[in-house]
PDB file of all heavy atoms in Angstrom:
ATOM      1  N   ALA A 154     -15.888   3.189  16.220  1.00 97.00           N
ATOM      2  CA  ALA A 154     -14.721   2.735  15.390  1.00 97.00           C
ATOM      3  C   ALA A 154     -13.937   1.656  15.974  1.00 97.00           C
ATOM      4  O   ALA A 154     -13.486   0.819  15.192  1.00 97.00           O
ATOM      5  CB  ALA A 154     -13.804   4.048  15.268  1.00 97.00           C
ATOM      6  N   GLY A 206     -15.956  -0.850  14.168  1.00 97.00           N
ATOM      7  CA  GLY A 206     -14.792  -1.617  14.418  1.00 97.00           C
ATOM      8  C   GLY A 206     -13.720  -1.566  13.418  1.00 97.00           C
ATOM      9  O   GLY A 206     -12.682  -2.228  13.444  1.00 97.00           O
ATOM     10  N   SER A 207     -13.881  -0.644  12.399  1.00 98.00           N
ATOM     11  CA  SER A 207     -12.833  -0.432  11.379  1.00 98.00           C
ATOM     12  C   SER A 207     -11.664   0.529  11.762  1.00 98.00           C
ATOM     13  O   SER A 207     -10.813   0.667  11.033  1.00 98.00           O
ATOM     14  CB  SER A 207     -13.504   0.069  10.120  1.00 98.00           C
ATOM     15  OG  SER A 207     -14.039   1.395  10.323  1.00 98.00           O
ATOM     16  N   GLU A 208     -11.728   1.045  12.998  1.00 98.00           N
ATOM     17  CA  GLU A 208     -10.593   1.792  13.572  1.00 98.00           C
ATOM     18  C   GLU A 208     -10.245   2.988  12.703  1.00 98.00           C
ATOM     19  O   GLU A 208      -9.033   3.346  12.674  1.00 98.00           O
ATOM     20  CB  GLU A 208      -9.305   0.879  13.780  1.00 98.00           C
ATOM     21  CG  GLU A 208      -9.729  -0.359  14.653  1.00 98.00           C
ATOM     22  CD  GLU A 208      -8.508  -1.125  15.052  1.00 98.00           C
ATOM     23  OE1 GLU A 208      -7.413  -0.557  15.260  1.00 98.00           O
ATOM     24  OE2 GLU A 208      -8.626  -2.345  15.190  1.00 98.00           O
ATOM     25  N   GLY A 209     -11.255   3.587  12.086  1.00 98.00           N
ATOM     26  CA  GLY A 209     -10.908   4.822  11.287  1.00 98.00           C
ATOM     27  C   GLY A 209     -10.123   4.585  10.076  1.00 98.00           C
ATOM     28  O   GLY A 209      -9.607   5.490   9.457  1.00 98.00           O
ATOM     29  N   THR A 210     -10.030   3.353   9.552  1.00 98.00           N
ATOM     30  CA  THR A 210      -9.212   3.004   8.401  1.00 98.00           C
ATOM     31  C   THR A 210     -10.027   3.156   7.116  1.00 98.00           C
ATOM     32  O   THR A 210      -9.392   2.990   6.058  1.00 98.00           O
ATOM     33  CB  THR A 210      -8.479   1.726   8.529  1.00 98.00           C
ATOM     34  OG1 THR A 210      -9.641   0.668   8.530  1.00 98.00           O
ATOM     35  CG2 THR A 210      -7.620   1.636   9.728  1.00 98.00           C
ATOM     36  N   GLY A 431      -8.895  -3.244  19.894  1.00 96.00           N
ATOM     37  CA  GLY A 431      -8.456  -3.070  18.548  1.00 96.00           C
ATOM     38  C   GLY A 431      -7.100  -3.476  18.246  1.00 96.00           C
ATOM     39  O   GLY A 431      -6.270  -3.734  19.141  1.00 96.00           O
ATOM     40  N   ILE A 432      -6.778  -3.539  16.897  1.00 98.00           N
ATOM     41  CA  ILE A 432      -5.495  -3.973  16.435  1.00 98.00           C
ATOM     42  C   ILE A 432      -4.547  -2.711  16.370  1.00 98.00           C
ATOM     43  O   ILE A 432      -3.448  -2.641  16.879  1.00 98.00           O
ATOM     44  CB  ILE A 432      -5.536  -4.634  15.021  1.00 98.00           C
ATOM     45  CG1 ILE A 432      -6.448  -5.912  15.163  1.00 98.00           C
ATOM     46  CG2 ILE A 432      -4.129  -5.011  14.596  1.00 98.00           C
ATOM     47  CD1 ILE A 432      -6.077  -6.954  16.032  1.00 98.00           C
ATOM     48  N   GLY A 433      -5.047  -1.747  15.662  1.00 97.00           N
ATOM     49  CA  GLY A 433      -4.337  -0.475  15.578  1.00 97.00           C
ATOM     50  C   GLY A 433      -2.853  -0.633  15.108  1.00 97.00           C
ATOM     51  O   GLY A 433      -2.566  -1.373  14.244  1.00 97.00           O
ATOM     52  N   LEU A 434      -2.008   0.182  15.663  1.00 96.00           N
ATOM     53  CA  LEU A 434      -0.558   0.023  15.335  1.00 96.00           C
ATOM     54  C   LEU A 434       0.097  -0.903  16.244  1.00 96.00           C
ATOM     55  O   LEU A 434       0.982  -1.641  15.768  1.00 96.00           O
ATOM     56  CB  LEU A 434       0.042   1.432  15.684  1.00 96.00           C
ATOM     57  CG  LEU A 434       1.557   1.641  15.711  1.00 96.00           C
ATOM     58  CD1 LEU A 434       2.166   1.322  14.404  1.00 96.00           C
ATOM     59  CD2 LEU A 434       1.959   3.044  16.183  1.00 96.00           C
ATOM     60  N   LYS A 435      -0.333  -1.153  17.380  1.00 96.00           N
ATOM     61  CA  LYS A 435       0.348  -1.985  18.470  1.00 96.00           C
ATOM     62  C   LYS A 435       0.362  -3.425  18.100  1.00 96.00           C
ATOM     63  O   LYS A 435       1.374  -4.144  18.347  1.00 96.00           O
ATOM     64  CB  LYS A 435      -0.409  -1.697  19.838  1.00 96.00           C
ATOM     65  CG  LYS A 435       0.206  -2.541  20.911  1.00 96.00           C
ATOM     66  CD  LYS A 435      -0.595  -2.117  22.248  1.00 96.00           C
ATOM     67  CE  LYS A 435       0.071  -2.716  23.464  1.00 96.00           C
ATOM     68  NZ  LYS A 435      -0.041  -4.187  23.451  1.00 96.00           N
ATOM     69  N   ARG A 436      -0.750  -3.961  17.488  1.00 97.00           N
ATOM     70  CA  ARG A 436      -0.891  -5.413  17.357  1.00 97.00           C
ATOM     71  C   ARG A 436      -0.871  -5.799  15.881  1.00 97.00           C
ATOM     72  O   ARG A 436      -1.099  -6.925  15.496  1.00 97.00           O
ATOM     73  CB  ARG A 436      -2.149  -5.870  17.947  1.00 97.00           C
ATOM     74  CG  ARG A 436      -2.170  -5.649  19.473  1.00 97.00           C
ATOM     75  CD  ARG A 436      -3.540  -6.204  20.064  1.00 97.00           C
ATOM     76  NE  ARG A 436      -3.505  -5.838  21.488  1.00 97.00           N
ATOM     77  CZ  ARG A 436      -3.953  -4.798  22.052  1.00 97.00           C
ATOM     78  NH1 ARG A 436      -4.568  -3.832  21.239  1.00 97.00           N
ATOM     79  NH2 ARG A 436      -3.871  -4.545  23.332  1.00 97.00           N
ATOM     80  N   ARG A 437      -0.533  -4.906  14.898  1.00 97.00           N
ATOM     81  CA  ARG A 437      -0.712  -5.214  13.564  1.00 97.00           C
ATOM     82  C   ARG A 437       0.120  -6.344  12.976  1.00 97.00           C
ATOM     83  O   ARG A 437      -0.239  -7.137  12.170  1.00 97.00           O
ATOM     84  CB  ARG A 437      -0.504  -3.948  12.616  1.00 97.00           C
ATOM     85  CG  ARG A 437       0.807  -3.217  12.719  1.00 97.00           C
ATOM     86  CD  ARG A 437       0.898  -2.019  11.971  1.00 97.00           C
ATOM     87  NE  ARG A 437       2.187  -1.447  12.003  1.00 97.00           N
ATOM     88  CZ  ARG A 437       2.742  -0.624  11.227  1.00 97.00           C
ATOM     89  NH1 ARG A 437       2.095  -0.330  10.051  1.00 97.00           N
ATOM     90  NH2 ARG A 437       3.978  -0.080  11.262  1.00 97.00           N
ATOM     91  N   SER A 438       1.451  -6.398  13.468  1.00 96.00           N
ATOM     92  CA  SER A 438       2.367  -7.411  13.131  1.00 96.00           C
ATOM     93  C   SER A 438       1.894  -8.784  13.646  1.00 96.00           C
ATOM     94  O   SER A 438       1.933  -9.833  12.934  1.00 96.00           O
ATOM     95  CB  SER A 438       3.758  -7.163  13.386  1.00 96.00           C
ATOM     96  OG  SER A 438       3.971  -7.022  14.808  1.00 96.00           O
ATOM     97  N   PHE A 440      -1.155  -9.495  14.435  1.00 98.00           N
ATOM     98  CA  PHE A 440      -2.450  -9.806  13.748  1.00 98.00           C
ATOM     99  C   PHE A 440      -2.147 -10.568  12.483  1.00 98.00           C
ATOM    100  O   PHE A 440      -2.815 -11.548  12.138  1.00 98.00           O
ATOM    101  CB  PHE A 440      -3.188  -8.552  13.515  1.00 98.00           C
ATOM    102  CG  PHE A 440      -4.477  -8.752  12.829  1.00 98.00           C
ATOM    103  CD1 PHE A 440      -5.504  -9.503  13.383  1.00 98.00           C
ATOM    104  CD2 PHE A 440      -4.780  -8.154  11.583  1.00 98.00           C
ATOM    105  CE1 PHE A 440      -6.695  -9.746  12.796  1.00 98.00           C
ATOM    106  CE2 PHE A 440      -6.028  -8.419  10.931  1.00 98.00           C
ATOM    107  CZ  PHE A 440      -6.886  -9.070  11.574  1.00 98.00           C
ATOM    108  N   LYS A 441      -1.147 -10.089  11.675  1.00 97.00           N
ATOM    109  CA  LYS A 441      -0.929 -10.840  10.448  1.00 97.00           C
ATOM    110  C   LYS A 441      -0.406 -12.195  10.725  1.00 97.00           C
ATOM    111  O   LYS A 441      -0.659 -13.217   9.980  1.00 97.00           O
ATOM    112  CB  LYS A 441       0.177  -9.973   9.552  1.00 97.00           C
ATOM    113  CG  LYS A 441       0.363 -10.695   8.253  1.00 97.00           C
ATOM    114  CD  LYS A 441       1.257  -9.771   7.355  1.00 97.00           C
ATOM    115  CE  LYS A 441       1.380 -10.339   5.966  1.00 97.00           C
ATOM    116  NZ  LYS A 441       2.275  -9.615   5.051  1.00 97.00           N
ATOM    117  N   TYR A 449      -6.707 -12.607   5.573  1.00 98.00           N
ATOM    118  CA  TYR A 449      -5.935 -11.365   5.624  1.00 98.00           C
ATOM    119  C   TYR A 449      -6.102 -10.676   4.180  1.00 98.00           C
ATOM    120  O   TYR A 449      -6.203  -9.471   4.151  1.00 98.00           O
ATOM    121  CB  TYR A 449      -4.517 -11.706   5.924  1.00 98.00           C
ATOM    122  CG  TYR A 449      -3.657 -10.516   6.363  1.00 98.00           C
ATOM    123  CD1 TYR A 449      -3.736 -10.026   7.618  1.00 98.00           C
ATOM    124  CD2 TYR A 449      -2.881  -9.781   5.359  1.00 98.00           C
ATOM    125  CE1 TYR A 449      -3.018  -8.908   8.019  1.00 98.00           C
ATOM    126  CE2 TYR A 449      -2.165  -8.680   5.734  1.00 98.00           C
ATOM    127  CZ  TYR A 449      -2.104  -8.264   7.109  1.00 98.00           C
ATOM    128  OH  TYR A 449      -1.445  -7.134   7.436  1.00 98.00           O
ATOM    129  N   LEU A 452      -9.279  -8.737   3.916  1.00 98.00           N
ATOM    130  CA  LEU A 452      -9.173  -7.435   4.600  1.00 98.00           C
ATOM    131  C   LEU A 452      -8.464  -6.396   3.802  1.00 98.00           C
ATOM    132  O   LEU A 452      -8.801  -5.305   3.607  1.00 98.00           O
ATOM    133  CB  LEU A 452      -8.538  -7.615   5.884  1.00 98.00           C
ATOM    134  CG  LEU A 452      -9.322  -8.548   6.985  1.00 98.00           C
ATOM    135  CD1 LEU A 452      -8.418  -8.845   8.169  1.00 98.00           C
ATOM    136  CD2 LEU A 452     -10.663  -7.907   7.307  1.00 98.00           C
ATOM    137  N   ASN A 466      -6.085   6.946   8.004  1.00 98.00           N
ATOM    138  CA  ASN A 466      -5.432   6.259   9.102  1.00 98.00           C
ATOM    139  C   ASN A 466      -4.510   5.137   8.699  1.00 98.00           C
ATOM    140  O   ASN A 466      -4.585   3.991   9.117  1.00 98.00           O
ATOM    141  CB  ASN A 466      -6.513   5.684  10.090  1.00 98.00           C
ATOM    142  CG  ASN A 466      -6.073   5.579  11.413  1.00 98.00           C
ATOM    143  OD1 ASN A 466      -4.887   6.187  11.795  1.00 98.00           O
ATOM    144  ND2 ASN A 466      -6.726   4.952  12.399  1.00 98.00           N
ATOM    145  N   PRO A 467      -3.556   5.430   7.815  1.00 97.00           N
ATOM    146  CA  PRO A 467      -2.581   4.348   7.276  1.00 97.00           C
ATOM    147  C   PRO A 467      -1.780   3.789   8.367  1.00 97.00           C
ATOM    148  O   PRO A 467      -1.482   4.460   9.349  1.00 97.00           O
ATOM    149  CB  PRO A 467      -1.792   5.118   6.311  1.00 97.00           C
ATOM    150  CG  PRO A 467      -1.847   6.576   6.732  1.00 97.00           C
ATOM    151  CD  PRO A 467      -3.227   6.718   7.365  1.00 97.00           C
ATOM    152  N   GLY A 468      -1.346   2.547   8.209  1.00 96.00           N
ATOM    153  CA  GLY A 468      -0.498   1.942   9.127  1.00 96.00           C
ATOM    154  C   GLY A 468      -1.220   1.228  10.393  1.00 96.00           C
ATOM    155  O   GLY A 468      -0.512   0.761  11.259  1.00 96.00           O
ATOM    156  N   LYS A 469      -2.567   1.194  10.280  1.00 98.00           N
ATOM    157  CA  LYS A 469      -3.306   0.563  11.418  1.00 98.00           C
ATOM    158  C   LYS A 469      -3.897  -0.785  10.797  1.00 98.00           C
ATOM    159  O   LYS A 469      -4.316  -0.796   9.688  1.00 98.00           O
ATOM    160  CB  LYS A 469      -4.375   1.567  11.896  1.00 98.00           C
ATOM    161  CG  LYS A 469      -3.902   2.888  12.120  1.00 98.00           C
ATOM    162  CD  LYS A 469      -2.776   3.080  13.129  1.00 98.00           C
ATOM    163  CE  LYS A 469      -2.018   4.363  13.098  1.00 98.00           C
ATOM    164  NZ  LYS A 469      -2.893   5.510  13.286  1.00 98.00           N
ATOM    165  N   ILE A 470      -4.091  -1.690  11.711  1.00 98.00           N
ATOM    166  CA  ILE A 470      -4.622  -3.008  11.444  1.00 98.00           C
ATOM    167  C   ILE A 470      -3.784  -3.755  10.517  1.00 98.00           C
ATOM    168  O   ILE A 470      -3.268  -4.965  10.798  1.00 98.00           O
ATOM    169  CB  ILE A 470      -6.091  -3.000  10.868  1.00 98.00           C
ATOM    170  CG1 ILE A 470      -6.965  -2.215  11.809  1.00 98.00           C
ATOM    171  CG2 ILE A 470      -6.642  -4.364  10.727  1.00 98.00           C
ATOM    172  CD1 ILE A 470      -8.447  -2.062  11.337  1.00 98.00           C
ATOM    173  N   LEU A 471      -3.473  -3.205   9.209  1.00 97.00           N
ATOM    174  CA  LEU A 471      -2.769  -4.015   8.251  1.00 97.00           C
ATOM    175  C   LEU A 471      -1.415  -3.482   8.070  1.00 97.00           C
ATOM    176  O   LEU A 471      -1.176  -2.292   8.124  1.00 97.00           O
ATOM    177  CB  LEU A 471      -3.648  -3.954   6.826  1.00 97.00           C
ATOM    178  CG  LEU A 471      -5.009  -4.370   6.910  1.00 97.00           C
ATOM    179  CD1 LEU A 471      -5.765  -4.016   5.665  1.00 97.00           C
ATOM    180  CD2 LEU A 471      -5.187  -5.897   7.241  1.00 97.00           C
ATOM    181  N   LEU A 472      -0.486  -4.419   7.731  1.00 90.00           N
ATOM    182  CA  LEU A 472       0.926  -4.038   7.460  1.00 90.00           C
ATOM    183  C   LEU A 472       0.956  -3.465   6.031  1.00 90.00           C
ATOM    184  O   LEU A 472       0.335  -3.937   5.142  1.00 90.00           O
ATOM    185  CB  LEU A 472       1.860  -5.213   7.659  1.00 90.00           C
ATOM    186  CG  LEU A 472       2.099  -5.651   9.131  1.00 90.00           C
ATOM    187  CD1 LEU A 472       2.871  -6.985   9.077  1.00 90.00           C
ATOM    188  CD2 LEU A 472       2.831  -4.580   9.816  1.00 90.00           C
TER     189      LEU A 472
END
Side-chain angles (χ1 to χ4, degrees):
S207 65
E208 304 187 34
T210 62
I432 302 302
L434 168 64
K435 184 177 185 291
R436 300 181 181 91
R437 58 181 183 160
S438 61
F440 179 61
K441 186 173 185 181
Y449 195 85
L452 295 172
N466 206 9
K469 314 301 164 55
I470 304 179
L471 305 171
L472 288 172

